[in-house]
Amino acid sequence: MVPLLLAALVAGCTIGDAGNAAPSSSPVPSVAGISPAAPAAASRPASAGPSGGAVAAKPGSWQAAFARALAEVDGAASVAVAGDRTVVIGSEPVAAWSTSKVPLAMAVLGRAPTVTANIRAAIVESDNAAAEAIWASLGTPQQAGAAVQQVLRANGDATTVVQTTRVRPQYTAFGQTLWANGDAAAFAARVPCSPQGRAVLDLMRGVAGNQRWGVHGLAGAKSVGVKGGWGPGADGGYLVRQLAVIETGRGYTGAMLTVRPNDGSLASGRAALTRLASVFAQHLAALPVRHC
């Protein structure tokens, strides 16, 4: 099936982990509806529609609502939502930061189905030392990376390559994995569908205060599990991300929200993602869902 690609109504640029913004002349981000069998095309340019031109998002649609909300962010912002299909609005792969702890914890639980203190701390508190400990428990960096990557492949992410080298010595290797919004959202939608995923999701539903922003506590949802990730680029400006699993009466929706605020602050990034939550709340009944 050829994926349907819709032109977003939002202009902006995507920030890489190096902290350098793309030029203001960067292409307008796309809104892409992707078939379940196809990898999320977060980093691909918009494709032409059947008539040869871009297909506009329908006015009043939830895609258009997200595009408008992203355009109002003071910075570079993007989002992907996944269920039976994946829709990506303005994204390229950027550092996963601590959102990578979700597939990491699942990899460890796949070997021994006990939620240890380190697994709990890595997810609930976003504790880096605990995450490093469970990473080391998987073997060499290459073995650990392969184990985490296997979790991604088994859960809808066919493209992401887990970073096993400390490309920035002061930060974890796995946290610098380049994880596109679409790939992450597709993965998140499948988290509830395995025993180890459900164990991690239970922890994501009870995160500590340092992660209670974005879609955490989303009005109208049966439950929401989140995992935040944040860190500075080379210029000191923060990239802020949130991986989320949203449960409604219709099923599960996976999401990844990403922002790099123009002022570079963590607080502004968290606030921007929290404002985007209103779009999720208003359009819960229309978002794509997945059933396990």
Side-chain angles (χ1 to χ4, degrees), residues 63-171:
Q63 295 96 325
F66 272 112
R68 287 192 300 271
L70 292 171
E72 295 173 357
V73 173
D74 186 17
S78 55
V79 67
V81 180
D84 57 354
R85 66 192 187 281
T86 300
V87 178
V88 179
I89 307 178
S91 176
E92 292 181 5
V94 290
W97 291 105
S98 286
T99 63
S100 61
K101 293 171 183 173
V102 173
L104 170 57
M106 288 172 63
V108 176
L109 287 168
R111 296 189 178 186
T114 300
V115 176
T116 65
N118 277 336
I119 291 174
R120 181 176 298 278
I123 300 298
V124 175
E125 305 288 342
S126 201
D127 186 284
N128 288 332
E132 289 272 34
I134 62 175
W135 171 262
S137 75
L138 292 172
T140 66
Q142 291 70 31
Q143 290 170 332
V148 176
Q149 194 161 298
Q150 185 177 10
V151 169
L152 295 176
R153 296 292 181 270
N155 291 277
D157 182 346
T159 59
T160 300
V161 177
V162 176
Q163 178 59 256
T164 60
T165 302
R166 285 184 180 270
V167 293
R168 299 180 67 184
Q170 68 272 47
Y171 301 113

Side-chain angles (χ1 to χ4, degrees), residues 3 5 32-44 86 88 156-160 180 182-183 186:
L5 298 178
I34 300 167
S35 66
S43 60
R44 300 174 193 156
T86 300
V88 179
D157 182 346
T159 59
T160 300
D183 292 326

Side-chain angles (χ1 to χ4, degrees), residues 257-279:
L257 298 77
T258 301
V259 65
R260 186 183 188 280
N262 282 335
D263 69 4
S265 74
L266 175 58
S268 292
R270 289 174 171 174
L273 296 190
T274 299
R275 287 192 294 273
L276 288 177
S278 64
V279 182

Side-chain angles (χ1 to χ4, degrees), residues 193-248:
C193 299
S194 68
Q196 57 268 37
R198 288 189 290 274
V200 174
L201 178 56
D202 186 56
L203 298 176
M204 294 168 66
R205 289 169 175 152
V207 293
N210 63 343
Q211 299 179 86
R212 293 181 181 176
W213 37 270
V215 297
H216 177 269
L218 184 66
K222 288 182 65 176
S223 71
V224 181
V226 300
K227 181 70 197 76
W230 56 91
D235 67 350
Y238 269 77
L239 178 73
V240 185
R241 310 192 74 184
Q242 185 180 64
L243 185 73
V245 181
I246 302 167
E247 181 187 9
T248 68

Side-chain angles (χ1 to χ4, degrees), residues 121 264 284:
L284 272 181

